[in-house]
Amino acid sequence: MEEHELVSITQGGFAIMNPTTPEKVLAAGRAAGLREGSRVVEIGCGNGTILALWGREYGVSGLGIESREDACRRAEETFRAAGPGGRLRVRCMDAREYVSDEPFDCAASIGASHIHGGFAATLDALLDLVHDEGSVVIGDRFWRSDRIPPEFARAWPDVPTGYEVLGTAREAGLDLAAVIRADGADWDRYESGIWQSVLSWLGAHPDHPDRDSMIDYLHRLQDEYFGYGREYMDWALFVMVPGFW
């Protein structure tokens, strides 16, 4: 099954396609210094919920970049419901090809670091989109420590440790203003939502040619989660601002 279709099936109905909450998203926006009139770009905006939250709470204007057409349509609906027309908009395209006409006050990538190939590459891409005093918000997975069983670490070679995230930010000339972590309930809700979406799809498609692969996918996700994800994997919103050195 094509990757975009798989994401739409498993997470397309989620308000936030990550193990976090609206309250934590708003806390990240506050730490990033969002305020009335701030210009924000979000790479991989999904259905637009995060930008809509920041728009309603902080009065930002925002641009979401999203490649899945069904998500773009949902984002447009979300933005229309969020408030004044034109303040939030979506551009349906490959984020790697996006070039801004002018720098933003904040650039975000929430659960979308795979687009650019990991945390460090995503940070570089976002820094290209903000001015010198701009902030960056990245929501991403990270290992709880550097003592991860090799068989698990090899399955996720691009995942850094939390300490490596800190080092990457400092190397880019940034200070870490906040880390807002997912808790166990956030993880359980997110993972369970994916399982339920797959089970619902299986129930509705008894004769689909991809049925067996979807069953294998479901069981692999559950094996990963209970085998090591719950114990070793973490997720957080990292808020980074220009360093004072």
Side-chain angles (χ1 to χ4, degrees):
M1 182 175 291
E2 196 268 337
E3 183 66 23
H4 279 192
E5 184 180 2
L6 181 61
V7 172
S8 294
I9 289 171
T10 58
Q11 302 182 57
F14 292 6
I16 299 177
M17 298 167 61
N18 292 281
T20 191
T21 65
E23 293 77 18
K24 292 178 179 180
V25 168
L26 291 177
R30 186 163 54 250
L34 300 186
R35 58 181 62 86
E36 186 77 29
S38 294
R39 297 179 63 254
V40 182
V41 60
E42 183 187 1
I43 299 302
C45 71
N47 60 21
T49 299
I50 289 171
L51 277 178
L53 285 167
W54 287 343
R56 282 193 293 262
E57 183 71 13
Y58 302 118
V60 307
S61 62
L63 173 65
I65 310 294
E66 175 58 53
S67 60
R68 292 185 299 115
E69 292 185 3
D70 60 323
C72 292
R73 290 191 294 271
R74 288 175 59 91
E76 289 172 349
E77 295 170 359
T78 301
F79 293 162
R80 280 196 295 270
R87 197 169 64 185
L88 302 175
R89 55 195 177 91
V90 63
R91 183 171 297 182
C92 209
M93 63 178 295
D94 186 333
R96 293 169 296 184
E97 299 175 359
Y98 174 69
V99 178
S100 175
D101 293 333
E102 58 180 311
F104 290 86
D105 300 305
C106 176
S109 175
I110 313 300
S113 64
H114 58 278
I115 294 173
H116 288 98
F119 185 93
T122 297
L123 180 56
D124 286 343
L126 296 184
L127 285 173
D128 286 340
L129 297 174
V130 297
H131 54 69
D132 290 344
E133 300 303 316
S135 58
V136 170
V137 182
I138 297 179
D140 210 355
R141 299 172 186 261
F142 63 101
W143 295 117
R144 293 180 184 272
S145 76
D146 60 1
R147 294 181 293 277
I148 307 299
E151 62 271 26
F152 301 155
R154 282 194 294 269
W156 297 88
D158 296 329
V159 174
T161 65
Y163 195 58
E164 287 171 333
V165 167
L166 177 63
T168 299
R170 286 179 176 170
E171 288 173 5
L174 303 174
D175 274 321
L176 195 61
V179 55
I180 304 168
R181 292 170 57 178
D183 60 27
D186 296 332
W187 269 116
D188 287 345
R189 182 175 55 253
Y190 171 69
E191 295 288 341
S192 298
I194 293 175
W195 306 341
Q196 290 162 29
S197 295
V198 174
L199 289 168
S200 177
W201 185 91
L202 290 169
H205 298 82
D207 301 315
H208 197 284
D210 290 327
R211 179 180 175 83
D212 288 344
S213 64
M214 286 293 280
I215 293 172
D216 291 342
Y217 177 73
L218 170 65
H219 292 168
R220 177 166 59 83
L221 290 181
Q222 293 175 333
D223 288 345
E224 289 175 350
Y225 189 55
F226 287 104
Y228 62 90
R230 196 70 159 77
E231 181 175 358
Y232 298 110
M233 188 79 78
D234 220 331
W235 191 96
L237 291 159
F238 296 97
V239 182
M240 290 156 281
V241 298
F244 289 95
W245 67 84

